[in-house]
Amino acid sequence: MHFILRLFPEITIKSPSVRKRMARQLADNTRIILRREYPSARVKQDWDKLDVNIRGLEDAVTAKGVSALLSRIPGIANFSRVRIFEAGDLQQIYEDTASVWGEALAGKTFRVRAKRVGEHDFGSIELERYVGGGLNQNFDAAGVNLKEPDVTVHIEVRGDVLYVIEQKTQGLGGFPVGTQGQVLSLVSGGFDSTVASYQCIKRGLRTHYCFFNLGGKAHELGVKELSYYLWNRYGSSHRVRFITVPFEEVVKEIIEKVDPACMGVVLKRMMFRTAEKIAMRAKAEALVTGEAVAQVSSQTLTNLKCIDQATDALVIRPLALMNKGDIIDEARFIGAEALAASIPEYCGVISIKPSASVKMHQLEAAEAHMDMTVLDRALEASKAQLIDEVMADVEKGQAEVDHVAVPQAGDVVVDIRHPDEIEFKPLTVSGALEVIPFYNLNEAYSALDATKRYLLYCDKGVMSQLHASHLKDEGHRNVAVYRP
């Protein structure tokens, strides 16, 4: 099974050396991600494309699975599943194209689009006419339509090789992860920080995650789960860190000593001061937040300026000029909307009348009364973990859960994977099977038949273990993990 990957246009306009470096990084990233699922995958780097070969596999399930993975790798403009033939004369090219597309054109209008590189006895227009005429005459197509066809048949002749494109898919775009440095994203689990983190990954930034825990275990677990989801889905070619900073003592200090009008801005300044030091440890070159201008009182231009003056670090705000609806739409596009919406909120600093225009002298006066050693203690107590170890860490201290390899009579296997994963790698079991995505599981579980035992399933057993433990903590005893 072969695929051709086209580089994101902004890569192709770089200088030759930069373009070569980015293409090499994209090839490495693609190879790492594909070989986890398909060890036979081979990736070859060319000047304007990458060639991917999944050796020994030609089935539709593999095609879907590979396409799903490629569609989530930053740096790819689009990719095509292709059939490769030796390029012969016009008649041979027609016959090879017909072997792929002939029957698929029944009852449909079509056109042929050809590209040609190298020296040949024919031109691209002649090639299009010859192949198109043959397909129209010898198969049950509804005719040729050059403007708005039902199907466009794409073929490419490069030297002595013919590529017949079976399916073309839009890629994620952006730059390959690892080409644009490292950043530390301040994540809270909501829509804003989630989308901001995703945009950094898509732009080629190796994105670490920093969570300021304001006092909620459920909130922390939810943010870890969402951060793992983002990394695993879009940035898993590079390992990154998740840093948890206990901020309860800082919140307590603010509530006791800061005027309510300034609380929100002071809290952000305390976070930025701490994040700057964490970023230095992680060798991250900037801080990232999900702030958008005027979304809340602490995000007016006046207050954002005051917040930024607490740190010398570069602060990137990818969502600064986005509307909330557009942010939610993007969360939906990346598959994180339901999960972000399900994470419990915890507001550590509640102010009835926050000021939208805090003055620096007010902040300096407020912070002068604070015990700043609380930041040192928070930093000292912070915990850094590799992101692929986060979920295993979450399991510690939670309820023990049975692992079942063979379901018993009456058991129901519950597939909790993301719908995209289920589509390209469906689960087959001999008994009862339910499909409940992990982000809907907590809400849906109480409505299930309490007399049955439910075995949660995911590919690696990480998410299923987490959610089974959480359900046991909530009092459900009829839950286990399915590990065939």
Side-chain angles (χ1 to χ4, degrees):
M1 185 176 300
H2 290 82
F3 293 81
I4 294 177
L5 283 55
R6 299 294 182 190
L7 306 181
F8 181 54
E10 289 186 41
I11 297 175
T12 63
I13 63 174
K14 301 294 184 186
S15 66
S17 60
V18 173
R19 175 176 178 163
K20 184 177 180 180
R21 175 175 61 83
M22 288 190 175
R24 183 170 57 247
Q25 184 69 70
L26 179 57
D28 290 343
N29 294 354
T30 303
R31 191 177 295 112
I32 289 168
I33 290 170
L34 288 180
R35 285 186 177 176
R36 290 192 189 118
E37 294 288 337
Y38 308 101
S40 66
R42 298 292 182 269
V43 180
K44 180 181 178 183
Q45 179 184 342
D46 206 341
W47 175 245
D48 62 346
K49 63 182 176 65
L50 301 181
D51 291 322
V52 172
N53 179 13
I54 311 296
R55 296 181 180 179
L57 296 172
E58 295 293 341
D59 59 285
V61 172
T62 298
K64 276 188 176 181
V66 174
S67 293
L69 292 174
L70 294 177
S71 68
R72 302 195 295 263
I73 299 177
I76 300 174
N78 59 72
F79 59 92
S80 302
R81 190 172 79 246
V82 302
R83 295 280 296 277
I84 300 178
F85 303 90
E86 183 178 346
D89 57 16
L90 286 172
Q91 178 62 23
Q92 186 60 54
I93 291 174
Y94 156 69
E95 292 176 2
D96 290 335
T97 304
S99 70
V100 177
W101 276 104
E103 301 299 332
L105 298 178
K108 299 176 181 178
T109 60
F110 76 98
R111 66 183 173 190
V112 176
R113 288 290 179 261
K115 292 183 179 180
R116 190 179 55 82
V117 178
E119 297 294 328
H120 304 92
D121 296 333
F122 49 81
S124 299
I125 299 299
E126 184 182 359
L127 177 58
E128 291 177 354
R129 288 174 176 170
Y130 192 95
V131 173
L135 292 173
N136 193 40
Q137 292 174 16
N138 297 301
F139 294 91
D140 295 327
V144 174
N145 185 331
L146 298 180
K147 291 186 177 181
E148 296 182 352
D150 298 321
V151 176
T152 298
V153 177
H154 292 278
I155 59 177
E156 294 185 19
V157 180
R158 291 176 173 264
D160 58 356
V161 179
L162 167 66
Y163 298 92
V164 180
I165 297 173
E166 296 182 89
Q167 184 179 32
K168 187 174 183 179
T169 305
Q170 187 68 31
L172 200 62
F175 292 122
V177 174
T179 60
Q180 305 303 316
Q182 304 186 67
V183 295
L184 182 70
S185 183
L186 279 57
V187 289
S188 64
F191 296 109
D192 301 341
S193 61
T194 298
V195 173
S197 300
Y198 160 74
Q199 290 191 355
C200 289
I201 296 171
K202 180 180 174 181
R203 202 62 183 170
L205 293 162
R206 189 174 177 181
T207 304
H208 302 277
Y209 303 89
C210 180
F211 171 65
F212 289 92
N213 193 336
L214 305 182
K217 178 182 178 182
H219 191 184
E220 179 183 348
L221 297 184
V223 175
K224 284 185 173 180
E225 185 176 3
L226 182 50
S227 300
Y228 176 85
Y229 169 83
L230 277 180
W231 169 81
N232 186 54
R233 193 168 177 81
Y234 298 105
S236 65
S237 57
H238 289 69
R239 298 178 87 184
V240 298
R241 288 178 170 79
F242 185 99
I243 300 96
T244 303
V245 185
F247 236 49
E248 298 95 328
E249 188 180 4
V250 178
V251 169
K252 181 174 181 291
E253 186 74 9
I254 292 173
I255 291 175
E256 291 179 350
K257 298 181 179 178
V258 175
D259 183 275
C262 302
M263 283 182 176
V265 175
V266 170
L267 176 62
K268 287 289 185 68
R269 285 167 60 85
M270 298 300 109
M271 289 179 174
F272 275 35
R273 287 188 175 109
T274 307
E276 180 182 12
K277 295 179 180 179
I278 292 172
M280 291 176 64
R281 291 178 179 177
K283 298 182 180 180
E285 299 171 72
L287 306 180
V288 176
T289 81
E291 292 163 318
V293 173
Q295 190 174 117
V296 295
S297 62
S298 65
Q299 295 174 19
T300 62
L301 288 181
T302 299
N303 286 350
L304 289 174
K305 182 179 180 180
C306 290
I307 292 169
D308 283 358
Q309 290 182 35
T311 177
D312 292 327
L314 170 65
V315 179
I316 300 175
R317 294 182 171 91
L319 314 186
L321 304 180
M322 288 184 67
N323 297 324
K324 188 68 173 184
D326 295 333
I327 295 170
I328 294 174
D329 287 344
E330 185 146 359
R332 183 180 305 118
F333 170 75
I334 64 177
E337 179 193 20
L339 184 55
S342 70
I343 291 179
E345 293 289 343
Y346 182 86
C347 184
V349 178
I350 300 173
S351 177
I352 298 174
K353 293 183 178 181
S355 173
S357 184
V358 177
K359 302 296 187 292
M360 272 304 301
H361 69 84
Q362 294 176 287
L363 295 171
E364 291 168 352
E367 292 174 1
H369 291 89
M370 291 180 59
D371 177 9
M372 288 299 183
T373 62
V374 294
L375 294 184
D376 297 329
R377 291 192 288 274
L379 185 63
E380 185 178 350
S382 64
K383 181 179 180 182
Q385 306 161 267
L386 290 171
I387 190 68
D388 51 350
E389 298 174 355
V390 162
M391 304 307 281
D393 181 74
V394 170
E395 297 166 14
K396 294 178 182 178
Q398 300 220 345
E400 292 187 6
V401 178
D402 292 333
H403 285 215
V404 177
V406 180
Q408 301 176 6
D411 285 347
V412 178
V413 175
V414 181
D415 193 336
I416 68 168
R417 294 176 296 167
H418 192 279
D420 288 351
E421 296 178 77
I422 295 173
E423 182 181 357
F424 78 77
K425 196 174 181 181
L427 175 66
T428 302
V429 296
S430 57
L433 175 65
E434 292 269 358
V435 175
I436 306 175
F438 61 90
Y439 46 75
N440 290 334
L441 187 62
N442 290 342
E443 181 180 352
Y445 202 87
S446 58
L448 298 176
D449 185 349
T451 65
K452 296 181 181 294
R453 183 172 67 160
Y454 295 91
L455 312 179
L456 308 189
Y457 172 80
C458 68
D459 283 331
K460 298 180 181 179
V462 175
M463 303 290 272
S464 54
Q465 173 70 37
L466 170 67
H467 285 279
S469 297
H470 177 69
L471 288 169
K472 275 216 164 182
D473 284 338
E474 294 292 312
H476 300 285
R477 296 290 174 259
N478 59 335
V479 62
V481 172
Y482 178 48
R483 296 294 291 160

